[in-house]
């Protein structure tokens, strides 16, 4: 029986509440499956880490994470950090950069019992996570934007063949396990060199997967297609900023960002991190929706299970997911989804359904 070492960072705002609810469900599910051992270690991150260690992401946290199989990261509220941290990457950006978590994987799936703007959605966005137009992680040292004068700002987008190849290959590998369909999203008609290279390299990788059907769209057209016919898409691969925007769109289309899970992965480690933020306006009210973090944790367990060919861990992830989705289908939801469950009581509902 393999022991999986997992880090846990509660983060800021509602992080304490939604991560705790997630851990309650995870521990209950693990107790029912004694063929998997999870070793959880809570690590400092966020405002509390600043108070105790002088930094929102202490070096000791990164050192310990380097020895973990994966970790669960709650939301952070970097806007509330002292001004001296304005020039640094926020904790999420720093972890993605430091551990080269090149694949941001964000599914969007219609859920029974949840009111949504579309029907029959079941897609996954593979977002390149290390370069593109996000200046906090597209340079080896420093950031990729600067002020020439007080009235002129320059931002650099970075696109490299190795980074495009690995996110494309991850997307096509995923497609082989699903419906064998990949959509490449770019803006090669205008950003001809940068996103043009992204499109070209993805099409080159596609030749390695002749069974996969491939198409491509400009990002603006893709946004319209997702609203009009989201069920036609399966795996979407795109660059950093486009992927961030489109995944927020698909999350809202299927019910809201409170439901939206994600993981950030390299070849050996993965970080579970929900799409939503820290929601400081509802902190302490016990009404935050924990589903995004719960389903992100499910994704983490499933990713680790497949990586280590551990069917017991895959089964644990599936049991958790089934219980969460069953709770939603029964209408046992938090107020943001029209329900009356609290963060804590929703976790209890899920734990009861695990049985």
């Amino acid at each position: 029986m393999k022991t999986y070492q997992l880090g846990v960072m509660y983060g800021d705002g509602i992080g304490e509440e939604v991560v705790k609810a997630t851990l309650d469900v995870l521990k209950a599910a693990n107790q029912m499956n004694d063929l998997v051992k999870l070793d959880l270690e809570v690590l400092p991150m966020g405002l509390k880490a600043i108070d105790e260690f002088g930094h929102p992401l202490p070096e000791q946290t990164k050192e310990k994470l380097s020895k973990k199989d994966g970790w669960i990261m709650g939301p952070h509220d970097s806007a509330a950090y002292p001004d001296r941290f304005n020039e640094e990457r926020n904790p999420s950006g720093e972890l993605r950069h430091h551990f080269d978590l090149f694949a941001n994987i964000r599914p969007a799936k219609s859920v029974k019992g949840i009111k949504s703007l579309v029907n029959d959605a079941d897609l996954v966005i593979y977002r390149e996570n290390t370069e593109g137009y996000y200046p906090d992680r597209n340079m080896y040292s420093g950031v990729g934007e600067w002020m020439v004068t007080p009235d002129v700002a320059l931002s650099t987008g970075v696109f490299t063949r190795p980074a495009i190849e690995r996110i494309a290959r991850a997307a096509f590998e995923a497609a082989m396990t699903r419906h064998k369909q990949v959509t490449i999203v770019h803006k090669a008609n205008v950003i001809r060199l940068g996103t043009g290279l992204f499109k070209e390299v993805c099409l080159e990788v596609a030749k390695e997967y002749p069974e996969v059907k491939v198409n491509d769209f400009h990002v603006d057209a893709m946004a319209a297609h997702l609203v009009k016919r989201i069920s036609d898409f399966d795996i979407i691969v795109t660059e950093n900023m486009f992927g961030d925007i489109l995944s927020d769109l698909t999350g809202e289309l299927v019910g809201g960002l409170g439901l939206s899970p994600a993981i950030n992965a390299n070849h050996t480690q993965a970080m579970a991190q929900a799409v939503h933020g820290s929601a400081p306006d509802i902190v302490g009210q016990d009404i935050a929706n924990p589903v995004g973090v719960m389903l992100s944790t499910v994704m983490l367990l499933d990713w680790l299970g497949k990586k280590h060919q551990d069917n017991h861990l895959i089964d644990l992830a599936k049991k958790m997911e089934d219980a969460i989705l069953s709770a939603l289908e029964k209408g046992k939801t938090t107020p943001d989804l029209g329900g009356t469950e609290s963060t804590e009581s929703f976790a209890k509902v899920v734990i009861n359904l695990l049985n």
Side-chain angles (χ1 to χ4, degrees):
M1 179 174 61
K2 176 174 172 55
T3 298
Y4 295 92
Q5 304 288 337
L6 301 180
V8 176
M9 292 170 286
Y10 286 100
D12 302 316
I14 59 171
E16 187 96 23
E17 299 163 66
V18 294
V19 173
K20 180 185 179 302
T22 297
L23 294 182
D24 289 345
V25 172
L26 177 59
K27 291 173 183 177
N30 194 201
Q31 286 177 356
M32 299 174 190
N33 184 345
D34 59 3
L35 297 175
V36 174
K37 185 176 180 181
L38 303 177
D39 187 355
L40 305 172
E41 182 179 7
V42 176
L43 300 171
M45 183 273 283
L47 284 164
K48 289 185 177 180
I50 294 175
D51 292 340
E52 187 173 355
F53 300 99
H55 197 278
L57 191 64
E59 284 300 318
Q60 68 186 64
T61 294
K62 289 192 284 187
E63 288 175 11
K64 290 190 174 183
L65 289 177
S66 68
K67 299 177 176 62
K68 304 296 184 186
D69 296 295
W71 55 90
I72 301 166
M73 183 180 191
H76 57 73
D77 183 12
S78 52
Y81 297 168
D83 290 344
R84 66 181 183 275
F85 297 111
N86 287 347
E87 299 302 317
E88 298 185 17
R89 298 183 186 93
N90 62 43
S92 173
E94 175 60 19
L95 288 176
R96 297 179 194 203
H97 179 85
H98 182 79
F99 288 101
D100 197 25
L101 302 172
F102 68 88
N104 185 203
I105 305 168
R106 294 185 171 185
K109 186 174 182 178
S110 299
V111 178
K112 291 181 180 179
I114 297 299
K115 183 178 179 181
S116 63
L117 298 172
V118 296
N119 297 310
D120 302 321
D122 185 7
L123 60 81
V124 185
I125 294 177
Y126 274 71
R127 165 192 171 195
E128 203 291 314
N129 212 19
T130 65
E131 48 184 40
Y133 291 105
Y134 279 17
D136 67 336
R137 66 197 77 150
N138 65 9
M139 294 286 174
Y140 171 75
S141 179
V143 295
E145 62 179 1
W146 57 94
M147 297 289 290
V148 179
T149 74
D151 301 316
V152 179
L154 298 180
S155 294
T156 301
V158 177
F159 301 86
T160 65
R161 179 175 293 274
I164 301 167
E165 284 180 344
R166 64 182 181 178
I167 192 64
R169 196 158 282 113
F172 278 92
E173 289 291 336
M176 290 295 293
T177 68
R178 288 173 54 94
H179 302 295
K180 297 182 179 179
Q181 177 183 324
V182 170
T183 300
I184 305 163
V185 178
H186 56 88
K187 191 64 176 172
N189 60 327
V190 176
I191 310 172
R192 297 177 181 176
L193 297 181
T195 70
L197 181 65
F198 190 93
K199 174 186 174 182
E200 291 172 10
V201 173
C202 285
L203 289 174
E204 290 173 11
V205 172
K207 295 175 183 178
E208 302 173 21
Y209 302 86
E211 299 175 58
V212 177
K213 179 181 177 182
V214 182
N215 56 15
D216 70 273
F217 293 102
H218 299 144
V219 64
D220 46 346
M222 188 66 194
H225 288 310
L226 287 170
V227 172
K228 187 175 182 179
R229 54 186 188 95
I230 195 170
S231 61
D232 290 344
F233 299 97
D234 185 44
I235 298 290
I236 297 169
V237 62
T238 189
E239 66 88 38
N240 203 341
M241 184 170 69
F242 296 166
D244 195 6
I245 295 168
L246 291 179
S247 59
D248 277 12
L249 171 63
T250 57
E252 286 293 345
L253 288 174
V254 299
L257 293 185
L259 299 171
S260 300
I263 60 171
N264 302 269
N266 55 34
H267 293 301
T268 59
Q269 295 173 300
M271 171 173 76
Q273 181 188 23
V275 175
H276 64 74
S278 61
D281 56 318
I282 60 170
V283 172
Q285 298 180 40
D286 196 26
I287 60 172
N289 187 348
V291 172
V293 179
M294 288 183 179
L295 290 179
S296 298
T297 301
V298 166
M299 289 181 68
L300 172 61
L301 298 180
D302 184 71
W303 185 90
L304 287 171
K306 290 173 179 174
K307 172 180 169 49
H308 295 280
Q309 299 181 328
D310 187 341
N311 288 329
H312 299 303
L313 189 55
I314 295 171
D315 290 343
L316 175 61
K318 185 67 166 61
K319 181 169 286 190
M320 274 187 65
E321 181 182 37
D322 288 347
I324 295 163
L325 297 181
S326 179
L328 296 176
E329 185 176 352
K330 294 175 184 297
K332 301 292 186 178
T333 59
T334 44
D336 60 306
L337 298 175
T340 59
E341 298 295 335
S342 67
T343 310
E344 184 178 359
S345 69
F346 179 81
K348 291 179 179 178
V349 169
V350 175
I351 291 169
N352 288 335
L353 287 169
L354 285 169
N355 295 316

